Amino acid sequence: MRTTPELLAAVAAAAVPGVAPVATGPSPDDAADFRSCVVQDSEGRRWRVRSPLNTEASMRLETEHLVLQAFTPSVRSRLPFHLPTVAGSVAQDGLRTFVYSHLPGHTLSLREFQRQNEHPEPPVHAPSPSATPRAPLAVQLGRSLGCLHSLPRALVMDADLPAYSAEQCRKRMLHDLDQAATTGLIPGDLLRRWEEALEDTTLWQFSTRVVHGDLHEDNITVDHGSLASFTGWSDLHVGDPAVDFSWLVGMSDPAFADTVLEAYSVAAVQPPDRHLLRRAHLKAEFALAEWLVRGVDRGITSMVDNAQRMLATLAADVRASASPSPGVAGPPPVPPAPPASAASPAPPASPAPPASPASTASAAASGADRTGDSADDSVDRADSDGRTLDGGSAPDGHPSDGGSAPDGHPSDDGLSPGHHSGEGGSSAASGSVTPTS
């Protein structure tokens, strides 16, 4: 059965007493697993609705609910960002749809993260002259990750969520590598590259942390230059902190990740291990193999073909950069010798170094693994006379500009055209809204 925004609005009304929907807006999500929308009620309140499309997705939402319950008010008060709250749920055909309270802010693409880090949006209200200047976004991210990774392990273990040692993290990834190899669709040089990194035990000597597990730009909301919230909590566990850094590899400017790590080092209870970013590069590259395996398991030919193309691009980037291992740069390019016949030749310009292989992989996986809702979920907003005010479509999440996630998010001045956060993937309501009938 097709899940429409109008149906999701009806679910919100059934799940949360007192909600009378008057408008809906698209909410980007993993279209292979969920249908989502933002609902505005008659009192101007906003709600995020996520409906699973299969049993696995439903279990992820159930786990997410369990995680959010573990974040008690006292725990939440220790974090410098907001977390969603489940307002209600409705079960239908064995699958449970969840409704979440609205959180301020909107999501940013990787490119927008970098731009706002250098040129942040001004705050809504001008700060007092004595107020401490607001830190750049990269610093705010580092501090937030440091606080998250410093939470006690008991928070996860008491909720009966997974907890892995460093060696278990390595062996789990080795198992996933073996599973990927059985498809016969991954370039052999990439398999060898990843296996060598996994066999290098010096990379896997670290202290495990409480980690988000699915952190990326679509699960982070920003409100006028300030980091507002982390969403998408279905993969919380104790494990490798590098998991929460792998999406940063997609930044075109490596200084952004370095700044995040520097701020993280100050905020975290324990300093990061020296190989954290190398493992983050490995995980960013390997995300393409995981995407391919997911497509094979589900029998989705388009996913498999897309993953194969991105893996071929990654293999070409690795060869071009001569990178011996994830997170390790290859030798610098040698500039060509000046022509012998030139009397006073100008020094030749050195060719630009190739992009980091993991940067290409992370940006591509960012678009591929988090496809937004289809265009038919975008709707128009009409005024009281029925005249269309805005039009638009929801972001589709497909890679652009070399595989990077789409940018150009509109402002957050309400359902149209702003972004509204909830639980799970991107909670931004972009594009336009339509009155419910």
Side-chain angles (χ1 to χ4, degrees), residues 3 9 95 98 100-101 122 129 174 211 240 244 286 291 312 361-362 418 436:
T3 305
L95 305 179
F98 283 84
Y100 304 88
S101 58
L174 270 173
V211 297
D240 186 356
D244 288 345
F286 191 67
W291 177 249
S362 177
T436 57

Side-chain angles (χ1 to χ4, degrees), residues 7 18 23 33 39 45 54 65 67 89 92 94 110 174 188 199 203 232 249 302 304 353 370 398 414 434:
L7 179 59
D33 287 329
V39 174
R45 298 173 299 180
N54 51 62
H65 185 202
V67 169
S89 64
Q92 183 180 18
L110 294 178
L174 270 173
E199 295 293 348
L203 294 181
V249 173
S302 59
V304 175
R370 294 180 291 279
H398 291 294
T434 186

Side-chain angles (χ1 to χ4, degrees), residues 261-305:
L261 185 62
E262 181 180 355
Y264 174 88
S265 303
V266 175
V269 172
Q270 292 179 299
D273 67 280
R274 61 193 183 98
H275 295 302
L276 184 146
L277 287 184
R278 286 190 60 188
R279 294 194 309 279
H281 277 75
L282 170 63
K283 294 175 186 297
E285 292 185 12
F286 191 67
L288 296 183
E290 294 175 322
W291 177 249
L292 183 142
V293 171
R294 185 182 180 192
V296 170
D297 289 344
R298 298 189 176 192
I300 304 177
T301 304
S302 59
M303 286 177 60
V304 175
D305 293 342

Side-chain angles (χ1 to χ4, degrees), residues 234-426:
S234 60
D235 293 318
L236 185 77
H237 66 278
V238 173
D240 186 356
V243 169
D244 288 345
F245 283 83
S246 61
W247 68 283
L248 294 171
V249 173
M251 299 287 185
S252 59
D253 182 9
F256 188 97
D258 292 338
T259 302
V260 173
L261 185 62
E262 181 180 355
Y264 174 88
S265 303
V266 175
V269 172
Q270 292 179 299
D273 67 280
R274 61 193 183 98
H275 295 302
L276 184 146
L277 287 184
R278 286 190 60 188
R279 294 194 309 279
H281 277 75
L282 170 63
K283 294 175 186 297
E285 292 185 12
F286 191 67
L288 296 183
E290 294 175 322
W291 177 249
L292 183 142
V293 171
R294 185 182 180 192
V296 170
D297 289 344
R298 298 189 176 192
I300 304 177
T301 304
S302 59
M303 286 177 60
V304 175
D305 293 342
N306 203 17
Q308 283 189 276
R309 286 193 296 269
M310 291 188 288
L311 284 164
T313 300
L314 173 60
D317 288 344
V318 168
R319 289 190 294 269
S321 65
S323 168
S325 180
V328 179
V334 179
S341 59
S344 300
S350 300
S356 163
S359 175
T360 302
S362 177
S366 173
D369 196 26
R370 294 180 291 279
T371 54
D373 290 329
S374 57
D376 59 9
D377 283 340
S378 65
V379 287
D380 295 329
R381 181 181 67 174
D383 62 8
S384 58
D385 298 325
R387 177 171 53 86
T388 298
L389 300 180
D390 305 341
S393 59
D396 60 6
H398 291 294
S400 62
D401 298 329
S404 62
D407 59 2
H409 293 292
S411 62
D412 61 333
D413 56 349
L415 279 179
S416 174
H419 294 258
H420 309 289
S421 66
E423 187 49 21
S426 169

